[in-house]
Amino acid sequence: MVVVGAQWGAEGKGRVTDLIAGAARATVRYQGGPNTGHTVVTDAGEFRLHLVPAGLLRGREAIIGNGCVLDPVALAHEVQSLEERGIDIGPLVISRDAHVILPHHRLYDRILDERRGADGVGTTRQGIGPAYADKALRLGVRVDDLLKPDLADRVEAAVAPKRELLGSTLDDEAYSIPTVVERYRRAGEQLARHVDDAGPRVRASLNQGLVVFEGAQGTFLDLDHGTYPWVTSSNPYAGGAASGSGAPPVAIAEVWGVMKPYVTRVGGGPFPTELHDRDGALLQERGREWGTTTGRRRRCGWLDLVALRQAVEINGIERLVVNKLDVLSGFENIRTAVAYRARTGQRLARFRYRRDEFAGLECEWEDLPGWDEDIGAARHVDDLPRAARSLITRITEATGVPVAAVGVGPHRDEIVWLEDPEALRARLAL
Ligand code: IMP
């Protein structure tokens, strides 16, 4: 099963993985790196995971797949802090083929994005794009290289082509090759017990039971299928789960899309339903919409059914999970975009991304009534106000996909299951 973000990211995928993970053999991250922040709230408090798959909190095998990029120093730190909080880190597996983010990748990421000026991607500055670029250029350093005698040569080979662009900043101690090699080798030693051939482990787990592939970011941040160039440098959409983990595509049985009943986006790029008014500020404030990794304010807008239908189509989403429904309590009207209108006046009912026309799109709205009640205590569909249920019905009507669960608060238990748990168990052979 793949859990993907059905919008631009930050929809609560970690929470959904966490919910399913209890019944799964393994959870697998297949793309992205520490640009992501998956928050899971348990009785032991809040966990902000950057690279570690959420299933580790449930004691499940947690695999960081070959399609990920990682900073070994930051990962060693994340693993250590989880261990200090009492989490058993034994089931963590790191693919030896995953690529390593080097310190100069972060510098390069920042310089490139600053040079783009107002049109910048607004990256998380974690060095994600440059690390994937080096992977594609066949200059990348892999986890497997960390403890090899030629690590310094590999780091030098990756840095060399960028010396001119990065200039004298590279003279800084933090970028000196011996320093980097020393720090990375030490982190490599700390992580060594987890490093393995992850592909065979993923395939073995698939033969034994349910495996949850945990997408990071979201469908429209996909390098190929998103709003390029305002995207991340990997493939978060469900198709990435196979190449990023070594799973045979046919073994991936079900795709779940995670969304909010409104839209948020961090960084630059087009956003047809974005709000610049009081409603946008309210969504931002009530939803506490700040990026988990960067602390940046998330841009907020109304639910975009055009984009959502596209996410369903391209990922093959079979179930939706709507998080943060409680954030909409108190809005008199809830707007949903049902079509776009191009500058030429043409009505677009289907999502069609063109860089030059997308920024100027207007939305055709359909309004639904809001509700006032606080829904945080709801645990059953009958506990939800009628208007909240109508919104869920509207989402299903617009997409043709059932909503399996609705999040009404941040704690892992603050959820209303709409799909009968028994039927779910039977379908997923749990
Ligand atoms: P990068 O992934 O750091 O290269 O950033 C590329 C774009 O993806 C920027 O607009 C980021 O704000 C966005 N982005 C990256 N990771 C996440 C995430 O986990 N959630 C939401 N947006 C993200």
Side-chain angles (χ1 to χ4, degrees):
M1 167 188 206
V2 192
V3 177
V4 290
Q7 297 163 330
W8 272 270
E11 294 102 12
K13 296 174 292 291
R15 177 223 202 133
V16 174
T17 310
D18 169 67
L19 283 168
I20 309 280
R25 284 253 354 140
T27 56
V28 182
R29 278 277 309 270
Y30 57 88
Q31 49 74 226
N35 48 345
T36 203
H38 288 175
T39 309
V40 180
V41 185
T42 74
D43 291 337
E46 182 178 280
F47 291 87
R48 286 175 173 217
L49 305 173
H50 293 293
L51 212 91
V52 169
L56 195 69
L57 302 181
R58 298 272 192 188
R60 303 293 149 187
E61 186 174 43
I63 301 176
I64 299 176
N66 57 276
C68 295
V69 289
L70 59 92
D71 172 341
V73 178
L75 179 60
H77 188 259
E78 185 172 335
V79 172
Q80 192 190 345
S81 56
L82 286 172
E83 194 172 24
E84 282 165 9
R85 288 180 69 182
I87 303 296
D88 174 14
I89 57 159
L92 177 69
V93 177
I94 304 166
S95 167
R96 63 174 76 251
D97 297 334
H99 277 249
V100 166
I101 302 169
L102 295 166
H104 81 278
H105 286 142
R106 275 189 292 273
L107 178 64
Y108 194 25
D109 195 7
R110 177 168 62 76
I111 291 175
L112 281 179
D113 215 29
E114 279 172 4
R115 286 192 179 184
R116 290 192 185 104
D119 244 3
V121 175
T123 75
T124 59
R125 308 275 157 99
Q126 297 294 318
I128 306 296
Y132 277 114
D134 275 354
K135 171 179 172 177
L137 285 168
R138 287 142 300 177
L139 286 173
V141 174
R142 288 172 136 187
V143 168
D144 193 42
D145 298 317
L146 287 173
L147 301 182
K148 294 277 158 70
D150 62 353
L151 178 61
D153 298 339
R154 299 206 166 263
V155 176
E156 172 57 26
V159 176
K162 297 151 207 153
R163 282 202 191 281
E164 206 172 308
L165 179 93
L166 300 177
S168 59
T169 329
L170 278 185
D171 299 338
D172 193 293
E173 180 61 20
Y175 305 106
S176 106
I177 306 245
T179 305
V180 174
V181 167
E182 214 256 312
R183 288 181 63 225
Y184 274 51
R185 206 187 288 286
R186 206 175 327 123
E189 280 160 8
Q190 275 173 273
L191 296 171
R193 58 181 276 229
H194 301 286
V195 176
D196 199 359
D197 295 319
R201 308 262 308 233
V202 170
R203 295 191 288 276
S205 287
L206 277 166
N207 285 333
Q208 288 158 0
L210 180 72
V211 175
V212 181
F213 295 90
E214 182 185 358
Q217 293 88 44
T219 300
F220 300 105
L221 289 174
D222 188 280
L223 181 59
D224 290 273
H225 305 291
T227 48
Y228 190 92
W230 296 278
V231 291
T232 193
S233 300
S234 62
N235 289 116
Y237 106 106
S243 60
S245 73
V250 289
I252 298 174
E254 174 148 336
V255 182
W256 281 36
V258 185
M259 58 177 284
K260 293 188 266 211
Y262 52 94
V263 179
T264 59
R265 174 162 204 173
V266 204
F271 181 175
T273 61
E274 183 168 17
L275 289 166
H276 298 283
D277 60 5
R278 196 173 149 269
D279 284 341
L282 272 177
L283 286 173
Q284 209 269 327
E285 187 192 314
R286 292 192 190 157
R288 295 177 305 280
E289 296 295 354
W290 305 90
T292 319
T293 302
T294 58
R296 284 179 297 171
R297 187 183 159 276
R298 292 187 185 132
R299 299 155 64 194
C300 296
W302 291 119
L303 181 60
D304 184 339
L305 293 173
V306 188
L308 189 60
R309 274 197 296 268
Q310 170 78 356
V312 164
E313 182 180 319
I314 192 164
N315 291 296
I317 291 172
E318 291 153 288
R319 291 290 183 280
L320 287 164
V321 174
V322 182
N323 269 309
K324 288 191 155 183
L325 189 65
D326 51 309
V327 173
L328 291 187
S329 290
F331 282 92
E332 196 180 329
N333 257 318
I334 294 166
R335 312 204 86 181
T336 60
V338 293
Y340 303 142
R341 203 165 283 283
R343 260 185 280 231
T344 55
Q346 189 192 2
R347 183 177 190 271
L348 303 167
R350 274 179 72 92
F351 186 96
R352 183 183 78 170
Y353 177 67
R354 303 274 188 279
R355 186 175 54 81
D356 50 349
E357 60 182 42
F358 218 69
L361 293 180
E362 303 247 316
C363 292
E364 193 178 299
W365 302 104
E366 187 182 284
D367 288 352
L368 295 170
W371 63 90
D372 276 329
E373 296 90 324
D374 178 353
I375 58 171
R379 294 292 174 274
H380 189 269
V381 62
D382 298 334
D383 302 333
L384 294 173
R386 191 191 171 87
R389 288 192 313 240
S390 308
L391 175 61
I392 304 295
T393 308
R394 183 70 191 103
I395 291 170
T396 292
E397 261 171 26
T399 56
V401 173
V403 173
V406 173
V408 292
H411 190 278
R412 59 157 59 136
D413 296 333
E414 288 173 316
I415 195 144
V416 176
W417 282 95
L418 304 180
E419 174 154 15
D420 173 37
E422 281 309 312
L424 180 68
R425 233 168 256 138
R427 209 183 64 253
L428 296 177
L430 297 179

